[in-house]
Amino acid sequence: SIKIVYGFFYLLITVVLLSAASAFMYYNNFILIVSPFIIFASLYYIATLCIRYIEERDKRLLTQAQLFNYLPEKVARHVMENPIGLAMAGDRVNITLLFADIAGFTTMSERLTPEIIIPVLQEHLKDMTKAIFDNEGTLDKYLGDGIMAFWGAPELQENHADLALKAAISMLKALDEANERRKTQEIE
């Protein structure tokens, strides 16, 4: 974005200098044949600059939207503000990893229709993801009916194990509430 500002500044200086030169030549009865080309080149540069700015902005917004789907807001903001701080090779740090899945899901999915099982699974994963994000965890992946998350990276957390434990407790509470709702709907 700083390159765009400098590019626009240089374009402005060029246009001003060329306009001054054109005015000087016009008032001294010189005809500047290249004026249309200079105007076209300037307009082309401005259009290219605008297109590149819009493309860069769109890429950043898409990246931001994707980050906020998998990371808690605090961690996503940290990643957006410090993109260079993320090494592709990774860092060695202690983290806490949580894996959870639905006990008996295969049997349940064989017994129930897809129209019933898919909303149940979507609601379950949404509740589990909320518990993870509410406790500052990072969603690693969904694995069918399972979910994997970790604490302690990319932003260091001194109490990562405690946060993971709180998330697990929240997940169990959400699961109990969901099971009660399903019992009233006669889905088991």
Side-chain angles (χ1 to χ4, degrees), residues 1-178:
S1 58
I2 193 74
K3 291 179 183 177
I4 292 173
V5 173
Y6 282 137
F8 185 74
F9 179 71
Y10 290 134
L11 173 67
L12 185 63
I13 289 173
T14 304
V15 169
V16 168
L17 290 175
L18 289 174
S19 298
S22 295
F24 174 77
M25 289 181 180
Y26 176 78
Y27 288 115
N28 289 310
N29 294 325
F30 292 116
I31 297 176
L32 188 60
I33 296 176
V34 294
S35 292
F37 299 111
I38 292 171
I39 292 169
F40 173 77
S42 299
L43 291 175
Y44 180 78
Y45 180 77
I46 290 171
T48 303
L49 192 66
C50 290
I51 289 169
R52 287 188 180 162
Y53 171 77
I54 290 169
E55 287 173 350
E56 184 177 321
R57 185 203 63 193
D58 289 349
K59 284 180 187 175
R60 183 168 173 80
L61 289 174
L62 180 62
T63 300
Q64 185 175 358
Q66 290 171 340
L67 277 176
F68 280 85
N69 280 334
Y70 290 96
L71 302 173
E73 184 176 344
K74 181 180 172 185
V75 176
R77 290 198 191 289
H78 173 77
V79 169
M80 293 295 292
E81 291 168 4
N82 304 302
I84 296 173
L86 298 176
M88 291 304 288
D91 296 324
R92 285 192 175 268
V93 294
N94 286 326
I95 65 168
T96 302
L97 183 68
L98 179 140
F99 174 79
D101 68 346
I102 301 174
F105 181 77
T106 303
T107 306
M108 184 179 14
S109 65
E110 290 170 349
R111 193 171 32 87
L112 300 173
T113 65
E115 293 79 18
I116 295 172
I117 201 70
I118 290 173
V120 168
L121 182 59
Q122 288 173 332
E123 179 188 4
H124 171 74
L125 293 175
K126 185 180 92 179
D127 291 345
M128 299 302 107
T129 302
K130 182 178 180 337
I132 290 165
F133 284 179
D134 287 350
N135 291 283
E136 302 177 37
T138 300
L139 176 63
D140 184 27
K141 63 185 81 150
Y142 295 114
L143 303 160
D145 65 311
I147 191 166
M148 187 181 293
F150 57 89
W151 286 258
E155 190 173 74
L156 296 178
Q157 297 164 310
E158 292 297 322
N159 60 340
H160 55 86
D162 294 334
L163 291 169
L165 186 58
K166 286 180 186 176
I169 292 168
S170 296
M171 292 167 86
L172 289 172
K173 287 179 183 175
L175 184 60
D176 287 342
E177 292 170 7

